[in-house]
Amino acid sequence: MELKRVVVTGLGAITPVGNSIAEMWENICNGVSGAGPITHFDASAFKTQFACEVKNFSAAEFGIDRKEARKMDIYTQYAIAAAKQAIDDSQMNLEVIDKNRVGVVFGVGIGGMNTFEEEVSNYAINGATQGPKYNPFFIPKMIADICVGQISIMYGFHGPNYITSSACASSSNALADAYNLIRLGKANVIVSGGSEAAIVPCGVGGFNAMHALSTRNDDPQGASRPFSASRDGFVMGEGAGCIILEEYEHAKARGAKIYAEMVGAGMSADAHHLTASHPEGLGAKLVMKNALEDAEMNPEEIDYINVHGTSTGVGDISEAMAIKDVFGEHAYKLNISSTKSMTGHLLGAAGAVEALICVLTVKNDIVPPTINHAEGDEDERIDYNMNFTFNVAQKRTVNAALSNTFGFGGHNACVIFKKYTE
């Protein structure tokens, strides 16, 4: 069967550097960090006391009234807000569109961690004297799939509706699924993305116990420093990103504006370690090769890579090695950047937000920077002759962009976007 083309017709974002696409993109291009002291709870006793939090978020601004908000974990509220922006941006006529052919597929790594912690803590404190008094909305607030259920209910979308969960690769896997559903003819439109809100005591404490987070408490905004020798762990972020993926002829028939075309997706597994990436980047190499093969593209056709680049010791090295291996001499001609240096690591939502950034890079021919770079790593496996776009954004023609996301468990996902042409 002939595979259908898939285009991007709407974007939405709730991030530590902006609660709209315009605000996020301006701050990303200007190298603005979203990090600061944690305000969601008292973190004074924790090894890490800062994060990249969403700021000035109002659920009511996105059509969620106070009564309904009480039934939703904050991760679901972020997902709905990003989806509403993207649906509005797509200018779909919801009165005439075939809602049986519109689906919602998101990636979520953890889900309602805030709700889970609140309810379990309440039982631990009061259970012995008051008995098990749980909120009747505890389970539907907490479960990781409820955000897509809420979006479908809000808009009446009856198409494919589910989440993917593969740790920090979750929302790239969601985009890959959405892409395949459309090109196989299973849907006309998929509202796809990811959401996460894990800046809670058990989230920060759990990652601290693993020694995964930066502890640069005296310099939060400079803490996420991918590919720098002084990197000491990732900075946790939160938020949501949403992309409207649409079958090309369907989009063209309704006169939709088209940001870019999604042309490929790849997946692989490291099969190596619970949390560490393969030291030689074997899974990272394979996932990029798989995505390029799926897109029927040569490595030389990629102009920009938004790397996983979390600011961890082994991870940054193995990804740099993988890029050099896959792209060969072209690795010195393309641009690379880690926007986690600004947004922090949004865990299950990372892939969606970074895919948004790739779409905007292709659309606007501006490569965002990797900020906070001061010194190179003495480890020769990071080749600094490659263009990591350190500290300052770069204008260049970007015809195709690739986004890498890797997750605990060895999950790897990669998506590719190109400039749209008829």
Side-chain angles (χ1 to χ4, degrees), residues 113-401:
M113 184 175 260
N114 184 69
T115 296
F116 184 83
E117 182 166 292
E118 283 182 356
E119 294 294 323
V120 172
S121 297
N122 181 62
Y123 176 72
I125 295 168
N126 302 312
T129 56
Q130 299 179 11
K133 294 184 178 180
Y134 285 94
N135 187 318
F137 291 101
F138 172 31
I139 300 301
K141 284 178 68 176
M142 176 197 71
I143 54 179
D145 70 299
I146 207 68
C147 64
V148 292
Q150 290 279 18
I151 293 166
S152 68
I153 291 166
M154 180 175 289
Y155 290 97
F157 296 150
H158 294 284
N161 187 270
Y162 61 93
I163 67 151
T164 58
S165 189
S166 50
C168 303
S170 294
S171 51
S172 289
N173 277 129
L175 289 166
D177 275 15
Y179 168 65
N180 284 320
L181 285 167
I182 294 171
R183 67 175 180 164
L184 290 170
K186 306 298 184 183
N188 294 334
V189 180
I190 300 286
V191 180
S192 189
S195 186
E196 203 80 272
I199 304 175
V200 296
C202 61
V204 175
F207 281 117
N208 268 159
M210 295 172 59
H211 305 287
L213 296 180
S214 171
T215 56
R216 198 180 292 271
N217 294 313
D218 59 342
D219 182 23
Q221 293 194 339
S224 183
R225 45 183 59 203
F227 305 105
S228 288
S230 55
R231 63 193 183 277
D232 69 329
F234 74 83
V235 177
M236 191 183 294
E238 63 175 355
C242 185
I243 295 177
I244 305 299
L245 293 178
E246 188 167 352
E247 193 273 319
Y248 168 64
E249 294 295 343
H250 186 272
K252 186 177 177 182
R254 68 178 186 87
K257 70 176 181 297
I258 295 174
Y259 285 95
E261 182 172 3
M262 186 169 178
V263 294
M267 289 165 271
S268 75
D270 279 0
H272 168 68
H273 188 271
L274 283 177
T275 58
S277 57
H278 192 284
E280 296 175 10
L282 295 186
K285 295 175 190 176
L286 180 59
V287 78
M288 288 187 281
K289 289 178 180 178
N290 288 344
L292 288 165
E293 181 180 351
D294 187 51
E296 298 181 346
M297 293 178 67
N298 296 316
E300 293 76 21
E301 295 178 82
I302 299 295
D303 299 306
Y304 169 60
I305 301 175
N306 188 298
V307 292
H308 188 59
T310 57
S311 188
T312 59
V314 175
D316 288 3
I317 292 171
S318 61
E319 188 172 12
M321 291 171 60
I323 290 169
K324 189 174 178 181
D325 184 81
V326 171
F327 290 89
E329 287 301 313
H330 186 63
Y332 303 106
K333 300 175 183 178
L334 51 75
N335 277 69
I336 299 163
S337 70
S338 171
T339 49
K340 288 185 180 73
S341 59
M342 295 169 278
T343 66
H345 190 355
L346 275 68
L347 308 179
V353 170
E354 289 157 18
L356 285 171
I357 291 167
C358 282
V359 169
L360 293 167
T361 298
V362 166
K363 179 70 173 175
N364 297 306
D365 290 325
I366 300 173
V367 175
T370 305
I371 68 167
N372 297 326
H373 181 75
E375 70 293 302
D377 195 315
E378 293 182 1
D379 194 311
E380 294 181 355
R381 291 176 294 176
I382 298 181
D383 188 342
Y384 289 99
N385 290 314
M386 295 192 295
N387 186 354
F388 290 92
T389 325
F390 285 131
N391 299 321
V392 179
Q394 182 177 332
K395 292 184 177 181
R396 64 164 291 172
T397 300
V398 180
N399 290 312

